[in-house]
Amino acid sequence: METGWLFYLLMATGYFLPHGDDHEQIVALTKAIAQFPDSTELYMERGELYLLHEDPKAALADFSTCVQSNLINSRVYLGLSQSYLYLNQPDSALTYIDIALQLDQTNLAALETKGLILTQLSRFCESAEIYSLLSSSAQQPSPSIYLDASKAWLKCPETNANGQASLILIEGMSKMGRLHVLEKELVRVYLHEKRYEEALEVQTEIIQHWESKSKPYYERAEIYLLLGDQKSAKDDLNQAILSIDQLPARKSSTPAMVTLRHKIISLLKQLEG
Amino acid sequence: MMRLWVVNIFLLIAHLSYAQLIPLGSTWRYYDLGMEPPNQSSTEWEDLNYDDSTWDTGPAELGYGDNDESTVIASSTLTGYFRHVFTAEDPGDFQSLNLSLTYDDGAVIYLNGIERWRVNMPGGNINYNTFASSTSSENAVATTTINNFLLTGENVLAVEVHQRSASSTDISFNFTMTGVPLPGVAVILRGPYLQKANDTSMVVRWRTNLPTVSMVDYGDSPVSLTQTAFDNVLKTEHILFIDSLEAQTKYFYQVKTTTDTLLFPDSSIYFKTYPIPGEETPLTAWILGDCGTGNNNARNVRNAYYNYIGDQHTDMVLFLGDNAYNDGTDTEYQTALFQNMYEHKLRNSVTWSCLGNHDGNSANSNTQTGPYYTIFTFPKEGECGGVASGTEAYYSYDFGNIHFLVLDSHESDRSVGGPMYDWCEEDLMNTMAKWIIAYWHHPAYSKGSHSSDTDTQLKQMRENFLPLFESHGVDLILSGHSHSYERTFLLNGHYGLSTTFNTATHTVGVTGSGSGHQEDDGAYYKAPTGPESGNGAVYITTGSAGKTESGPMNHPAMYYDAVSLGSCVLTVHEDTLNISYLRQTGAVDDHFTLIKDEDCVPGAACSDGDSCTVNDVFDNYCYCRGESNRRYVSNSENEGEGSLRDAISFACEGDTIFFLTSVSDTIRLDSQITVSQDIVINASVSNPIILSGQNITRLFYIEPTVQLTLTNLTLFGGNEPIDGGAILNDGILALVNTLFVQNMQGPIPKAWTNRSEVLVKQGNNYIRLE
């Protein structure tokens, strides 16, 4: 009997039907809920679909029904939290994400959501801690986690946060290898922290590793200018132009390269003028 | 966002523990002619050697009367007969066979000619007129386990399905057979499928029921597998990296354990390495958007491609997301991709994919967890070309001189300056490939079941990423999500709502607002250099490989759209990229050609292949165009080179004929000139020309629908006793400052005979009788 009931529910929700988009699934779940109004699992499923459909109010109503019906699990509270976050109520979102994490400390999606909430609340130090925890908890973290952590560390006013913004990026590179998005952010962090020599060092490594060197040269020239080293900046700008000129015609004449060339020449003229 | 279907794990376990020998929905031969199939000598219809080649064929469910059949058989038959031939390479692996029958009303099942199971049928002999024992419920399901009677090699499963009575209104039939492996015997449950190809390596993946070592023998022919790749770690999810391979080389292979062969080699089990990056190599790719229904819609689309491509190798299969409905779970992937679906193609074609929203229901891009990320192995370290992304959510790879970018439009940050955008910019900056093709799930332009005017992901991808792609000269963008087919003109610079689209300003080149068909409007052209360098891309939404869904279908950027099942075939060869939209019916409903001639220099001379044009040059889009010819008359002879008659006979449609100043005398014609295509005969005011019929002949005959325009001419002495005067017009005669003098019809003055009544006069035209 139990199995049959479950079977029916799964059929009704479209699980066995390989068709259906989110909207169709919502319709199917709504029908199933009408038939089995006491099944809180169905409300949870529909709430998650409403979130995917960017309808946080409807999602909130379904997750609230789950809580009122004593369906207590991390999915429900994660859904509640995300609904409030969508509705721009980060305080409430934080309350419920903490419950979700109490119920399941290993829920990576909940950790990620908490980092986002804390950032919205401008509680950057805590946000940075959460993202750092996420980066170490996830087996295959994406670069965005390290970037989010670094950005949060950079905004964290506490003294012990000094250097953390760059360290987390370096940790990311040690785990994932040389990734330009992390290197580029590292340069930005070093410049923000006025660690120009280190920024130059990373930028030089970028130049060495990139096939298309024009933009990295241009960016290093900008760093040289921050350091007041006009001669090196000019050298790099000339190198940047040379790099463009050495490209195949189809590459050097794309709008992106033409624009870059104009920027380089313009900066060179300024320096020479 | 990850949604877990924990409650259904039991299904996964139940479903995947055994090897599928006959999957649900398989294709069957059937006989429905209202009688038992006749014997062939002593061979009966259920026997292995019976020749069923004249029987009809179709995918299960077969039957009639319930409107749920994939293949409808004749409703007049009381009994349907079905046969399915399959191969068991290593039948000794199985201790028993699990059978599952969907039936209405009764059935007898034979394996290799011997009855093995009877469902709701009476005892004793069974013939065509035997009725089932009772009325079954709709699509009743019965299961049983039988001993392993499989033969090595070919086997046949034959089924006869009987009605309860002559008045019964329906027959239903579907069937699965799975092998239950002997204890300790490993079998393949999924795959093999190919991943992460480059010019020197390949990843082969497969799944076994038991943890085993991973071992693949490979070589240059199925009977010469001289090399072995292996990983001694015991596992069920095998990801075997094979390196030190030769570029663009076909390797046949078999999958093994240390003690047993799991997949035997044959001519269809091979992988082919990719060409060296930068080399011009022809590409064939199969593009499947939103294919993940796992049903006969998807199979029909598949079959259409298999018929279309035949034995030709497919270099890659591109899945555009929503590969497995509804939630991209592992179970759903099994039926949507790997079982009775694309498994034969995926053994020898490399699989690539982007994440769809339904895949995203059970996957998390930021932590790269969930079935999508477990099932696929994509290059995140730049190992297949391109810049390392650090994530399988978005990545890039090369095939020779073609660079592919794969984005995650569902879950990764889509903002300008976000990690995906920054990676994308660096990747585009660094690729030197001639062709750049990008794909992601949510289309930049669509008015199908999703709207690119209102849906967040669609708008953001268009507004944020298209300017970047266009500035780097991307050629083709593929997406799904809307369950239809929509294909744009050759576009550039449109990032707004559909209401702001303007064909005049947002298409590229002379042919950019046309069909892209080489045979009519002309192919699309992109210039590799010059002021329009890199401009122009075609955007395709092809999300109907598994299902269709209607929508307004009225985006003005589309050259063609249709709500129909289908997939796309991409071929690239040197300067030419072709796309065909292949319906599930086998019809090609749309196609276009994009040409990027590397040798083109805008303004340089070229040949447009049209002998009627001159001064052919490449325009700024590298479209080779000539001017209409200007033909010259250089003497006043009646005929011969340089004569008016000669100029008209060699003229092309639309040509204008001029007179050189060397023509100072009257041109005297001995016979009339027939004008059979539109031409203009244009004398100058300063050098008026006189044409004379010498009172013996008419000057011109104009054929129906043809236009002759005469400018600054004097037509003199034309004479014809019937339909007389200087001109007989059956087409269109346009006169501009033309003088008619002494033209006759026999003894009667007559300037022309106009039979078509189409006469256009501009300027001063005079008729003088003297």
Side-chain angles (χ1 to χ4, degrees):
Chain A
M1 183 61 192
E2 278 299 302
T3 310
W5 179 82
L6 180 62
F7 230 73
Y8 181 82
L9 280 188
L10 293 171
M11 290 278 284
T13 55
Y15 184 77
F16 285 133
L17 304 172
H19 315 272
D21 261 331
D22 292 340
H23 175 70
E24 293 165 10
Q25 281 183 273
I26 288 171
V27 171
L29 278 166
T30 302
K31 283 182 186 168
I33 287 169
Q35 186 120 15
F36 302 98
D38 295 333
S39 171
T40 47
E41 294 255 343
L42 294 176
Y43 286 95
M44 182 175 68
E45 298 288 354
R46 192 175 64 176
E48 288 173 338
L49 286 169
Y50 275 132
L51 273 179
L52 289 172
H53 250 231
E54 299 180 2
D55 187 351
K57 284 185 180 171
L60 188 60
D62 275 358
F63 291 124
S64 299
T65 302
C66 294
V67 173
Q68 285 157 16
S69 307
N70 282 325
L71 180 65
I72 307 296
N73 64 39
S74 62
R75 280 173 68 187
V76 168
Y77 283 98
L78 174 61
L80 267 178
S81 175
Q82 288 177 334
S83 302
Y84 277 115
L85 194 58
Y86 264 118
L87 293 167
N88 205 22
Q89 297 179 44
D91 288 314
S92 300
L94 185 60
T95 302
Y96 290 111
I97 204 65
D98 280 337
I99 300 174
L101 283 166
Q102 280 168 20
L103 292 166
D104 181 3
Q105 293 176 357
T106 63
N107 189 326
L108 298 180
L111 271 179
E112 190 186 349
T113 304
K114 184 168 182 179
L116 197 61
I117 295 166
L118 291 167
T119 301
Q120 272 210 9
L121 288 167
S122 299
R123 291 162 62 173
F124 297 113
C125 303
E126 294 164 83
S127 172
E129 293 281 4
I130 291 293
Y131 281 128
S132 298
L133 176 62
L134 183 60
S135 68
S136 58
S137 305
Q139 282 195 325
Q140 292 192 79
S142 74
S144 64
I145 294 175
Y146 292 99
L147 292 167
D148 288 340
S150 177
K151 281 172 183 157
W153 280 122
L154 213 55
K155 291 178 180 170
C156 173
E158 292 176 9
T159 49
N160 65 358
N162 278 347
Q164 291 293 333
S166 51
L167 281 177
I168 191 74
L169 293 170
I170 292 166
E171 184 189 317
M173 284 191 276
S174 72
K175 198 165 178 177
M176 291 192 285
R178 302 183 63 88
L179 294 181
H180 178 71
V181 289
L182 298 184
E183 284 182 319
K184 190 177 163 186
E185 185 64 15
L186 187 57
V187 171
R188 203 178 72 84
V189 168
Y190 282 147
L191 291 175
H192 179 83
E193 295 176 343
K194 298 191 169 31
R195 295 159 69 177
Y196 297 120
E197 291 301 327
E198 285 158 293
L200 264 181
E201 196 178 314
V202 177
Q203 189 63 32
T204 302
E205 285 177 17
I206 291 173
I207 291 171
Q208 286 167 1
H209 286 95
W210 287 129
E211 191 168 348
S212 177
K213 299 183 188 300
S214 49
K215 196 172 169 212
Y217 271 124
Y218 173 73
E219 289 168 345
R220 193 171 71 175
E222 290 182 313
I223 300 174
Y224 277 127
L225 287 178
L226 285 172
L227 287 167
D229 184 351
Q230 291 209 355
K231 181 185 177 304
S232 298
K234 273 196 240 178
D235 288 347
D236 270 6
L237 291 172
N238 282 315
Q239 282 295 328
I241 289 179
L242 191 63
S243 300
I244 293 176
D245 291 344
Q246 287 171 344
L247 292 170
R250 65 164 180 271
K251 189 77 188 169
S252 62
S253 57
T254 57
M257 283 298 178
V258 170
T259 304
L260 178 61
R261 201 173 204 283
H262 285 157
K263 278 168 72 177
I264 296 166
I265 288 171
S266 169
L267 189 53
L268 256 179
K269 279 182 180 167
Q270 276 181 39
L271 293 177
E272 286 166 354
Chain B
M1 180 171 297
M2 180 187 288
R3 295 195 296 132
L4 296 173
W5 297 80
V6 180
V7 72
N8 294 311
I9 282 176
F10 79 95
L11 289 170
L12 175 75
I13 294 165
H15 199 59
L16 295 183
S17 296
Y18 310 118
Q20 283 283 340
L21 294 164
I22 303 177
L24 203 67
S26 291
T27 298
W28 294 75
R29 292 273 184 187
Y30 63 93
Y31 186 88
D32 59 354
L33 300 182
M35 55 187 276
E36 188 164 314
N39 289 353
Q40 295 166 348
S41 300
S42 60
T43 306
E44 298 185 34
W45 70 272
E46 67 268 29
D47 290 341
L48 179 59
N49 295 328
Y50 189 86
D51 178 7
D52 59 14
S53 59
T54 59
W55 290 23
D56 287 325
T57 183
E61 180 182 319
L62 300 106
Y64 64 82
D66 293 335
N67 291 323
D68 61 352
E69 301 87 2
S70 296
T71 303
V72 177
I73 68 171
S75 60
S76 55
T77 195
L78 293 176
T79 301
Y81 297 87
F82 307 94
R83 285 171 56 91
H84 179 82
V85 176
F86 62 100
T87 301
E89 287 162 330
D90 216 348
D93 285 349
F94 305 113
Q95 61 179 354
S96 58
L97 305 172
N98 284 346
L99 313 183
S100 175
L101 170 77
T102 302
Y103 67 100
D104 186 344
D105 290 298
V108 183
I109 291 90
Y110 307 83
L111 179 58
N112 297 324
I114 298 172
E115 181 183 335
R116 298 297 180 190
W117 189 24
R118 195 174 282 210
V119 178
N120 197 31
M121 292 296 291
N125 287 336
I126 302 288
N127 60 39
Y128 172 79
N129 291 308
T130 308
F131 288 119
S133 302
S134 63
T135 301
S136 73
S137 58
E138 293 293 330
N139 291 340
V141 175
T143 59
T144 191
T145 300
I146 63 172
N147 289 338
N148 177 5
F149 296 108
L150 293 175
L151 305 172
T152 299
E154 277 200 348
N155 293 263
V156 64
L157 198 292
V159 181
E160 53 185 296
V161 178
H162 292 254
Q163 290 281 33
R164 169 65 182 121
S165 68
S167 59
S168 180
T169 57
D170 56 355
I171 277 183
S172 302
F173 169 66
N174 206 339
F175 193 86
T176 65
M177 180 161 76
T178 52
V180 182
L182 287 162
V185 170
V187 294
I188 291 179
L189 301 179
R190 174 180 294 179
Y193 56 106
L194 308 175
Q195 298 263 261
K196 224 164 73 164
N198 65 21
D199 56 323
T200 59
S201 69
M202 184 72 69
V203 167
V204 183
R205 293 196 56 163
W206 69 96
R207 176 181 288 177
T208 49
N209 59 326
L210 301 172
T212 70
V213 300
S214 309
M215 189 175 284
V216 164
D217 294 338
Y218 58 98
D220 58 10
S221 90
V223 293
S224 178
L225 307 179
T226 55
Q227 299 175 80
T228 299
F230 65 93
D231 175 0
N232 281 331
V233 178
L234 299 180
K235 55 173 83 85
T236 57
E237 207 63 47
H238 304 268
I239 308 173
L240 190 62
F241 176 70
I242 306 174
D243 63 353
S244 302
L245 302 170
E246 296 291 323
Q248 216 185 327
T249 302
K250 188 186 269 192
Y251 293 91
F252 296 88
Y253 68 96
Q254 64 178 0
V255 179
K256 294 170 63 181
T257 68
T258 46
T259 56
D260 198 7
T261 300
L262 303 181
L263 178 70
F264 289 84
D266 73 30
S267 60
S268 71
I269 299 171
Y270 67 89
F271 57 78
K272 188 175 178 187
T273 48
Y274 280 7
I276 294 168
E279 279 193 355
E280 296 258 25
T281 309
L283 166 81
T284 300
W286 184 26
I287 300 154
L288 289 158
D290 303 68
C291 63
T293 54
N295 64 16
N296 283 330
N297 281 347
R299 272 185 279 275
N300 290 337
V301 170
R302 174 200 67 184
N303 293 344
Y305 178 73
Y306 286 4
N307 289 333
Y308 177 88
I309 206 68
D311 293 333
Q312 190 186 323
H313 174 62
T314 301
D315 296 294
M316 57 183 72
V317 182
L318 309 186
F319 290 101
L320 302 182
D322 286 3
N323 307 327
Y325 288 105
N326 283 317
D327 296 292
T329 63
D330 191 85
T331 309
E332 289 167 346
Y333 260 96
Q334 184 70 11
T335 51
L337 257 64
F338 297 112
Q339 186 175 293
N340 194 22
M341 192 54 71
Y342 311 117
E343 63 273 21
H344 293 293
K345 186 58 66 183
L346 301 186
R347 286 172 178 176
N348 53 41
S349 299
V350 181
T351 297
W352 304 95
S353 180
C354 61
L355 182 82
N357 51 302
H358 285 274
D359 307 302
N361 284 351
S362 56
N364 183 312
S365 289
N366 281 342
T367 55
Q368 296 176 76
T369 51
Y372 176 86
Y373 291 104
T374 306
I375 289 166
F376 293 123
T377 305
F378 297 131
K380 57 183 182 180
E381 295 165 5
E383 58 269 47
C384 297
V387 169
S389 67
T391 172
E392 291 177 280
Y394 48 90
Y395 58 93
S396 60
Y397 59 96
D398 287 330
F399 180 93
N401 214 3
I402 309 165
H403 187 63
F404 289 87
L405 286 99
V406 186
L407 301 188
D408 169 19
S409 57
H410 175 60
E411 199 169 20
S412 294
D413 182 356
R414 294 177 294 271
S415 63
V416 173
M420 184 163 71
Y421 183 95
D422 281 355
W423 165 78
C424 205
E425 185 172 22
E426 292 309 321
D427 189 70
L428 288 165
M429 191 72 88
N430 275 277
T431 182
M432 299 296 151
K434 176 176 173 177
W435 295 97
I436 304 177
I437 296 170
Y439 55 96
W440 59 82
H441 184 64
H442 299 84
Y445 303 104
S446 178
K447 281 284 192 178
S449 51
H450 294 277
S451 168
S452 55
D453 284 349
T454 54
D455 291 13
T456 305
Q457 294 95 334
L458 284 68
K459 283 181 69 178
Q460 288 180 347
M461 291 308 291
R462 182 179 66 250
E463 293 166 357
N464 297 347
F465 278 83
L466 263 50
L468 175 65
F469 278 125
E470 290 184 350
S471 72
H472 286 276
V474 170
D475 304 295
L476 176 68
I477 285 96
L478 306 164
S479 296
H481 199 46
S482 279
H483 302 305
S484 50
Y485 174 80
E486 297 169 277
R487 195 266 287 178
T488 69
F489 301 107
L490 186 65
L491 305 187
N492 194 63
H494 179 252
Y495 316 121
L497 302 180
S498 60
T499 49
T500 65
F501 182 80
N502 183 332
T503 308
T505 55
H506 294 130
T507 61
V508 171
V510 178
T511 59
S513 58
S515 64
H517 303 165
Q518 266 185 308
E519 67 276 15
D520 46 60
D521 293 357
Y524 297 140
Y525 287 85
K526 284 188 72 168
T529 57
E532 299 292 338
S533 171
N535 284 346
V538 177
Y539 298 79
I540 300 177
T541 302
T542 175
S544 59
K547 63 197 291 191
T548 58
E549 198 172 345
S550 58
M553 307 300 287
N554 59 356
H555 200 297
M558 300 300 161
Y559 165 73
Y560 182 84
D561 52 38
V563 181
S564 55
L565 289 168
S567 62
C568 285
V569 186
L570 163 70
T571 59
V572 183
H573 188 207
E574 296 179 348
D575 295 339
T576 305
L577 179 154
N578 284 295
I579 283 272
S580 295
Y581 171 59
L582 181 64
R583 290 271 306 279
Q584 94 283 10
T585 58
V588 173
D589 275 10
D590 181 42
H591 70 280
F592 71 88
T593 300
L594 178 60
I595 293 175
K596 192 153 62 171
D597 181 358
E598 285 288 280
D599 299 326
C600 159
V601 177
C606 59
S607 172
D608 66 1
D610 182 352
S611 61
C612 291
T613 60
V614 292
N615 299 328
D616 300 351
V617 291
F618 286 116
D619 69 8
N620 284 341
Y621 307 94
C622 279
Y623 180 63
C624 184
R625 312 166 65 181
E627 300 167 5
S628 285
N629 207 345
R630 290 160 55 107
R631 296 191 177 269
Y632 296 94
V633 180
S634 57
N635 61 52
S636 55
E637 298 299 317
N638 169 59
E639 61 183 5
E641 190 175 341
S643 68
L644 174 64
R645 191 184 300 275
D646 185 69
I648 290 173
S649 68
F650 284 100
C652 296
E653 181 86 9
D655 274 357
T656 299
I657 294 171
F658 294 88
F659 297 86
L660 299 180
T661 52
S662 55
V663 185
S664 53
D665 200 359
T666 297
I667 297 172
R668 295 178 175 82
L669 299 179
D670 294 343
S671 59
Q672 73 174 10
I673 298 173
T674 298
V675 180
S676 53
Q677 55 192 339
D678 295 357
I679 55 169
V680 176
I681 302 176
N682 192 355
S684 69
V685 177
S686 59
N687 182 28
I689 297 294
I690 301 171
L691 305 180
S692 171
Q694 305 181 80
N695 293 316
I696 58 169
T697 183
R698 187 191 296 132
L699 297 169
F700 294 111
Y701 167 63
I702 308 170
E703 291 187 341
T705 74
V706 170
Q707 176 164 341
L708 172 65
T709 303
L710 301 175
T711 303
N712 298 322
L713 290 170
T714 297
L715 306 187
F716 175 81
N719 193 348
E720 200 69 39
I722 300 169
D723 296 332
I727 301 171
L728 170 57
N729 175 33
D730 274 335
I732 303 165
L733 174 59
L735 301 173
V736 184
N737 299 329
T738 303
L739 188 60
F740 289 80
V741 180
Q742 286 188 13
N743 296 292
M744 310 290 283
Q745 178 170 291
I748 306 164
K750 189 172 187 182
W752 61 76
T753 300
N754 187 28
R755 292 199 299 209
S756 79
E757 300 298 331
V758 180
L759 187 66
V760 182
K761 295 180 193 171
Q762 297 169 30
N764 297 316
N765 298 281
Y766 297 99
I767 299 172
R768 294 211 313 255
L769 303 178
E770 68 273 18

